[in-house]
Amino acid sequence: MLSEREDELGARLKEFEGRAAAVAGVGKDPVNAPMIRHWCEAMGDTNPAYTGPGAIAPPTMLQAWTMAGLSGQAGPPGRTEAFGELLALLDAAGCTSVVATDCEQEYVRPLRPGDLVTFDAVIESVSDRKATKLGTGYFVTTRTDVRVGTEPAGTHRFRILKYAPAPRRSRKGRESPSSHRRPRPRPRPRPVVNRDNAGFWEGVERGRLLIQRCTGCGTLRHPWLPGCNACGCLEWDTVESSGEGTVFSYVVMHHPPFPAFDPPYAVVLVELAEGVRMVSNVVGVPYDKVRIGMPVEAEFRRYGTDAGAGDESPFVLPVFRVREGS
């Protein structure tokens, strides 16, 4: 049951739905080739459509042209008092922390170097009070409509969680004076399955490692995407990986601790024999024995089957084991 105070806060927050978050905002810089180049280098995107005469900006840069940058202390251009009031109200209620959770974008027309974007934003929704592992708070969704002149260019929905951080238990509180045993790791987090990657996880459930293949140019890609980042084709099929590969890179995680894992542990980037790379774990070998170039092969492990794990149904994850005879 929510307290009367929480009910009142929720009602006040709902009053902000439909109010403007930004009005007549103008991009800090026109669409430009240097930013496009930096973006493509960071993303590893070599699509020729983003270079040379007639180049366009990657559609996923839509939000980048509306951002204020590190010097934008007053917030994004055109931000309204209403949005500031909403955030202040959440701060006053103890929801002083924020984390971005997800975004959705719709593209109407390509953006080209020289285009100057303008935009308006609206507070589309404020959720009911939610309890998460980070803490208790509210999901706030804004919708930004981006234009070039009077012509619509796209829509960007951005969702944040404004929350009161959950209290952390001290090390002394976690450990029993009479025992030095480590706490039992919690169940593995479930993978996020959406309409773009559902086929991959369906294959994993059947013990198959499926790689997307563009039917336009034949380029293989992972992770799964709705379109080819080499030629832009939206049509694709799949090929089944042999599961063999090598450790392309790795990092040993010591901190921050995560309840589902027992640090230190190795997170690896595996280059499959087919040429694509994927992030996973190497099992059956100590973390300090993992090496670049180590031959590995995929295996499929079922999680969520422990008694008391709290999962309604088990799920399968692909991991990698050192290849026998290597």
Side-chain angles (χ1 to χ4, degrees):
M1 292 289 292
L2 294 179
S3 68
E4 183 177 340
R5 182 179 177 184
E6 291 166 341
D7 277 338
E8 181 182 352
L9 174 62
R12 292 180 64 188
L13 294 174
K14 287 290 185 181
E15 293 175 357
F16 285 89
E17 292 184 342
R19 297 180 65 180
V23 176
V26 179
K28 191 170 184 179
D29 296 289
V31 177
N32 61 85
M35 283 183 66
I36 293 172
R37 184 179 70 254
H38 294 321
W39 177 281
C40 291
E41 288 176 354
M43 297 298 177
D45 195 337
T46 58
N47 192 325
Y50 308 143
T51 60
I56 63 172
T60 49
M61 289 187 74
L62 184 67
Q63 185 194 21
W65 310 113
T66 69
M67 299 175 75
L70 296 177
S71 63
Q73 300 298 322
R79 173 174 284 185
T80 63
E81 290 184 3
F83 194 68
E85 291 171 5
L86 171 62
L87 298 182
L89 185 60
L90 288 165
D91 286 342
C95 299
T96 55
S97 295
V98 62
V99 63
T101 62
D102 63 282
C103 72
E104 300 174 11
Q105 293 184 335
E106 300 174 15
Y107 311 118
V108 178
R109 57 148 282 185
L111 295 173
R112 296 179 173 83
D115 286 342
L116 182 63
V117 304
T118 59
F119 57 92
D120 296 297
V122 64
I123 302 167
E124 195 167 64
S125 66
V126 182
S127 75
D128 296 331
R129 183 173 177 269
K130 301 291 185 180
T132 74
K133 287 187 177 181
L134 290 175
T136 300
Y138 299 83
F139 290 93
V140 179
T141 304
T142 55
R143 187 192 75 242
T144 301
D145 296 312
V146 181
R147 301 176 301 276
V148 176
T150 59
E151 188 178 2
T155 298
H156 176 80
R157 282 182 174 84
F158 192 64
R159 188 171 294 108
I160 62 171
L161 171 65
K162 278 283 284 179
Y163 65 98
R168 292 187 176 184
R169 299 173 61 187
S170 67
R171 180 171 294 276
K172 182 177 179 181
R174 287 201 309 268
E175 296 180 350
S176 169
S178 60
S179 173
H180 296 286
R181 292 179 299 175
R182 290 184 175 181
R184 183 181 179 184
R186 291 189 180 183
R188 286 278 186 120
R190 304 181 74 89
V192 177
V193 181
N194 55 42
R195 61 184 180 183
D196 292 329
N197 66 15
F200 173 77
W201 292 109
E202 289 169 2
V204 167
E205 183 68 28
R206 301 193 302 270
R208 303 175 65 200
L209 208 56
L210 299 179
I211 303 171
Q212 272 188 317
R213 178 175 58 190
C214 173
T215 56
C217 66
T219 299
L220 302 180
R221 62 181 186 260
H222 185 85
W224 283 32
L225 297 169
C228 179
N229 56 12
C231 72
C233 179
L234 299 179
E235 302 299 325
W236 54 269
D237 58 12
T238 62
V239 296
E240 183 172 358
S241 170
S242 67
E244 294 187 349
T246 57
V247 175
F248 182 83
S249 182
Y250 72 96
V251 62
V252 176
M253 297 294 297
H254 294 270
H255 189 81
F258 189 75
F261 301 92
D262 189 13
Y265 56 93
V267 179
V268 299
L269 180 64
V270 172
E271 184 167 81
L272 295 172
E274 292 76 17
V276 300
R277 299 169 187 163
M278 65 180 299
V279 176
S280 186
N281 296 117
V282 172
V283 299
V285 63
Y287 72 92
D288 56 354
K289 299 299 182 183
V290 175
R291 294 290 183 268
I292 291 175
M294 176 180 285
V296 293
E297 59 186 355
E299 72 173 49
F300 300 88
R301 290 196 170 185
R302 188 167 292 271
Y303 294 91
T305 57
D306 295 339
D311 291 308
E312 295 182 359
S313 60
F315 58 96
V316 178
L317 292 178
V319 296
F320 289 84
R321 179 176 294 278
V322 177
R323 204 180 310 161
E324 292 184 6
S326 61

